[in-house]
């Protein structure tokens, strides 16, 4: 719609925003009217109309099989559009049009904003299935007529009340028509069923909806007065009512002021009991999963503390060092579980984990070695993050212990590049490079018996399904390259 308005019309941004607000609401008018809606806006030169939006009803057959958006119609071709636009009134005159052997009743509703008419809504009703209307259909049509008059007067939609139509109740979910005092004139079967779910034993017609709703909801003191007001339809609001363990209904109130005077309200409602129950279950499951990760982290920290305590009691320097290495390995896994305990899913931002592993390993540096990270790991699944944190710990520890001597200065850099792939797959390239003494003569990283390198090979090739290589750095030191398949990153 933005492109069509900017290309063909003279409307400004505030006018366009009003049209967006209307289009976000007009599914309601379409469903109440059992009719298709097409929004026509005059072009800049005033010689034609361009259709910028279209809506089909969920409550009846469509009048248009084709998409009308983008069509241009000269002035004079459709006199009802001209009359509605020029005179600012709803035009219903004329006989039904025949489209592909289908009779269609056409009406034109001016779209007013303040003192100006921005465009015209063509309301097209398929008359092929017309029959004697029921009470429900008569209520729908009367409500549609009231809304059409409000659109023509510039009183609908309501400014500042942007509605999410995917989440809001719709006409078919349940509809209640109130009079000016908030008394129910009509309640659709779905609306009555929703109130029965709340615990209502009687009919709704003839009862004050606000007072009835407040009686069904748990007592909340002063809030009851606000609930009575909301359910009476005096203001355009969306809210929910929960009645203990019985049920939850979502309501949306729409005041009706077709001639500037409040004559009543429409209340759309939906039974969301099952939806809210499932949401609570998901919240409970998420909380349970986070608690499990938190407890695993605590247990791993306890294990690390026991190992650290044991290392202090050992006389063998080699044994102490082995236990200290185990402490760092356990600590790297604990960092992942701590991060998972703070998220709602099994995905983590690995950059923070990499920085913490880098800081943890740097504590054991035999000299003044500086560690830094470049690039971005991004968001990783937990099954990738856990082994990758251990791999990173081993590589950093190996670089610090074997690349630099006591008191020697240097740098260890971890760089990460996230690359695209096909479908849901991507690649993560990780490079750990130091400027230390480099690899010994004849060193083969694929056959070396060092425990740390064995762990790296096993995790990278076996668990992560990637590749691992260790080569001399271009100038000085050692360069380790990891190429790992990962899921495509999601925001």
């Amino acid at each position: 719609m933005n492109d069509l308005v900017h290309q063909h019309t003279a409307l400004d941004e505030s006018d366009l925003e009003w049209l967006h607000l209307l289009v976000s609401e007009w599914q309601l008018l379409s469903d109440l009217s059992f009719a298709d809606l097409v929004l026509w806006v005059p072009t800049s030169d005033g010689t034609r109309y361009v259709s910028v939006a279209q809506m089909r009803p969920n409550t009846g057959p469509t009048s248009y099989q084709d998409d009308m958006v983008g069509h241009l119609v000269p002035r004079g071709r459709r006199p009802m559009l001209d009359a509605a636009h020029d005179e600012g009134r709803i035009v219903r005159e004329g006989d039904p049009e025949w489209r592909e052997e289908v009779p269609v009743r056409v009406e034109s509703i001016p779209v007013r904003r303040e003192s100006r008419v921005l465009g015209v809504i063509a309301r097209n009703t398929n008359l092929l299935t017309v029959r004697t209307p029921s009470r429900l259909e008569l209520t729908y049509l009367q409500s549609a007529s009231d809304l059409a008059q409000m659109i023509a007067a510039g009183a609908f939609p309501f400014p500042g009340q942007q509605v999410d139509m995917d989440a809001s109740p719709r006409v078919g979910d349940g509809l209640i028509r109130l009079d000016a005092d908030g008394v129910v004139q009509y309640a659709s079967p779905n609306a009555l069923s929703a109130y029965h779910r709340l615990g209502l034993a009687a009919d709704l017609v003839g009862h004050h909806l606000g007072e009835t709703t407040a009686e069904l909801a748990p007592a909340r003191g002063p809030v009851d007065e606000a609930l009575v007001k909301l359910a009476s339809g005096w203001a355009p609001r969306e809210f929910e009512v929960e009645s203990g363990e019985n049920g939850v209904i979502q309501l949306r109130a729409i005041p009706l002021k077709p001639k500037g005077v409040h004559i009543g309200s429409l209340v759309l409602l939906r039974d969301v009991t099952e939806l809210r129950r499932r949401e609570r279950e998901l919240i409970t499951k998420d909380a349970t999963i986070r608690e499990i990760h938190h407890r695993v982290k605590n247990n791993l920290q306890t294990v690390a503390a026991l190992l650290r305590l044991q290392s202090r009691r050992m006389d063998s320097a080699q044994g102490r060092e082995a236990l200290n290495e185990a402490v760092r390995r356990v600590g790297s896994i604990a960092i992942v579980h701590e991060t998972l305990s703070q998220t709602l899913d099994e995905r983590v931002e690995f950059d923070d984990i990499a920085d913490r592993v880098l800081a943890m390993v740097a504590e054991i540096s035999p000299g003044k070695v500086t560690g830094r990270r470049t690039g971005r790991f991004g968001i990783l699944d937990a099954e990738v993050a856990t082994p990758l944190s251990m791999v990173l710990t081993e590589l950093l520890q190996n670089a610090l212990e074997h690349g630099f001597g006591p008191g020697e200065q240097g740098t260890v850099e971890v760089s990460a590049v996230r690359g695209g792939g096909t479908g849901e797959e991507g690649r993560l390239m990780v490079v750990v490079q130091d400027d230390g003494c480099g690899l010994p003569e004849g060193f083969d990283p694929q056959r070396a018996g060092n425990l740390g390198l064995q762990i790296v090979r096993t995790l990278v090739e076996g668990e992560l399904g990637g590749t691992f290589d260790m080569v001399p750095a271009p100038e000085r030191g050692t360069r380790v390259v990891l190429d790992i398949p990962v899921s495509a990153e999601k925001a």
Side-chain angles (χ1 to χ4, degrees), residues 439-449 453 457 469-470:
L439 296 173
E441 188 73 25
F443 179 81
D444 183 359
Q446 303 301 328
R447 298 180 179 273
L453 290 181
R457 284 199 301 270
D469 196 13
M470 179 181 285

Side-chain angles (χ1 to χ4, degrees), residues 97-126:
E97 296 181 3
W98 287 83
R99 300 175 186 166
E100 298 180 358
E101 300 184 354
V102 175
V104 177
R105 182 174 63 241
V106 180
E107 303 168 87
S108 296
I109 305 167
V111 177
R112 185 181 298 275
R113 175 175 177 258
E114 298 174 348
S115 60
R116 298 167 49 238
V117 175
L118 305 183
V120 178
I121 294 176
R123 181 164 55 176
N124 303 273
T125 307
N126 187 327

Side-chain angles (χ1 to χ4, degrees), residues 8-81:
H8 294 286
T9 78
L11 299 183
D12 58 27
E13 290 302 319
S14 60
D15 295 331
L16 179 58
E17 184 61 31
W18 183 263
L19 295 184
H20 275 295
L21 193 60
L22 172 67
V23 168
S24 73
E25 294 271 26
W26 72 342
Q27 179 73 64
L28 173 63
L29 178 63
S30 178
D31 290 345
L32 290 172
S33 304
F34 308 98
D36 291 77
L37 306 178
V38 180
L39 178 57
W40 297 93
V41 179
T43 57
S44 302
D45 57 11
T47 62
R48 296 179 295 175
Y49 298 97
V50 58
S51 58
V52 298
Q54 178 179 2
M55 178 58 66
R56 292 183 172 89
N58 293 317
T59 52
T62 183
S63 303
Y64 289 109
Q65 298 300 325
D66 299 326
D67 186 4
M68 295 296 297
V69 176
H71 283 213
L72 290 164
V73 174
R75 265 187 74 90
R77 175 79 60 83
R78 300 187 178 181
M80 295 175 67
L81 286 181

Side-chain angles (χ1 to χ4, degrees), residues 218-271:
R220 297 178 183 175
V223 181
D224 287 347
E225 295 182 11
L227 181 58
V228 171
K229 200 75 172 177
L230 287 173
S232 299
W234 281 92
R237 293 289 186 273
E238 229 178 88
F239 57 100
E240 286 189 4
V241 176
E242 183 171 358
S243 178
E245 298 297 324
N246 294 326
V248 184
I249 60 173
Q250 181 183 14
L251 299 97
R252 181 189 175 201
I254 304 169
L256 297 176
K257 301 177 181 179
K259 296 182 180 179
V261 178
H262 181 77
I263 65 167
S265 306
L266 280 182
V267 177
L268 306 181
L269 64 153
R270 175 192 296 161
D271 184 351

